[in-house]
């Protein structure tokens, strides 16, 4: 994981984004936020499991499906299976080490 701090690479509603092998952060204080970093580590693991490019395709398609379903951008984002896994497990310190392969499938 390579951390990059650059507020100009992110939209104003984003604190950070994982683009394997990078995690782009809006501000340097986020480096100390263990929960946030764990959330992004989960996304990096998801990306590796899906061989990176298919992850982004799946993410976008699921976002569009959820957008049609919920008619709300924030709700669509929060209900993407990758995000649901990351948000529900981000507080578990050892989750990335212990998670099962393709664990995000249980959050679809």
């Amino acid at each position: 994981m390579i951390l990059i701090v650059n507020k100009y690479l992110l939209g104003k509603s984003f604190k950070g984004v994982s683009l394997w092998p990078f995690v782009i952060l809006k501000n340097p204080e986020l480096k100390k936020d263990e929960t946030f970093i764990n959330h992004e580590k989960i996304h990096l693991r998801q990306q590796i499991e899906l061989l990176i490019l298919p992850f982004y395709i799946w993410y976008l398609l699921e976002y569009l499906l959820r957008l049609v379903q919920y008619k709300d951008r924030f709700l669509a984002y929060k209900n993407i299976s990758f995000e649901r896994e990351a948000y529900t497990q981000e507080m578990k310190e050892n989750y990335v080490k212990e998670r099962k392969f393709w664990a995000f499938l249980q959050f679809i």
Side-chain angles (χ1 to χ4, degrees), residues 45 48-50 85 98-105:
R45 180 60 56 93
I48 290 168
E49 287 176 350
L50 285 169
E85 178 188 11
E98 299 169 355
R99 77 184 281 277
K100 294 184 178 168
F101 191 75
W102 285 27
F104 68 89
L105 289 175

Side-chain angles (χ1 to χ4, degrees), residues 46-86:
Q46 295 164 339
Q47 291 168 18
I48 290 168
E49 287 176 350
L50 285 169
L51 305 175
I52 302 163
L53 185 58
F55 168 86
Y56 299 114
I57 294 168
W58 185 324
Y59 193 103
L60 177 62
L61 290 175
E62 189 171 350
Y63 173 76
L64 293 172
L65 175 72
R66 301 295 182 196
L67 189 56
V68 169
Q69 180 181 7
Y70 294 106
K71 296 172 183 52
D72 179 280
R73 290 184 298 177
F74 183 71
L75 278 176
Y77 157 77
K78 290 290 270 190
N79 282 285
I80 296 169
S81 57
F82 302 116
E83 294 299 341
R84 290 177 59 181
E85 178 188 11

Side-chain angles (χ1 to χ4, degrees), residues 3-98:
L3 297 175
I4 298 172
V5 177
N6 188 317
K7 64 182 177 183
Y8 302 109
L9 292 176
L10 301 172
K12 60 180 171 179
S13 62
F14 294 96
K15 292 190 327 184
V17 65
S18 295
L19 300 168
W20 193 89
F22 305 101
V23 175
I24 302 169
L25 308 172
K26 185 160 266 188
N27 62 62
E29 293 79 37
L30 289 169
K31 288 182 178 181
K32 299 173 191 159
D33 186 336
E34 292 178 19
T35 301
F36 178 80
I37 295 299
N38 200 41
H39 180 103
E40 298 306 326
K41 283 181 181 179
I42 293 168
H43 285 318
L44 291 174
R45 180 60 56 93
Q46 295 164 339
Q47 291 168 18
I48 290 168
E49 287 176 350
L50 285 169
L51 305 175
I52 302 163
L53 185 58
F55 168 86
Y56 299 114
I57 294 168
W58 185 324
Y59 193 103
L60 177 62
L61 290 175
E62 189 171 350
Y63 173 76
L64 293 172
L65 175 72
R66 301 295 182 196
L67 189 56
V68 169
Q69 180 181 7
Y70 294 106
K71 296 172 183 52
D72 179 280
R73 290 184 298 177
F74 183 71
L75 278 176
Y77 157 77
K78 290 290 270 190
N79 282 285
I80 296 169
S81 57
F82 302 116
E83 294 299 341
R84 290 177 59 181
E85 178 188 11
Y87 278 112
T88 60
Q89 306 303 320
E90 67 188 6
M91 298 292 284
K92 297 179 182 172
E93 189 175 312
N94 294 318
Y95 180 73
V96 173
K97 293 177 186 173
E98 299 169 355

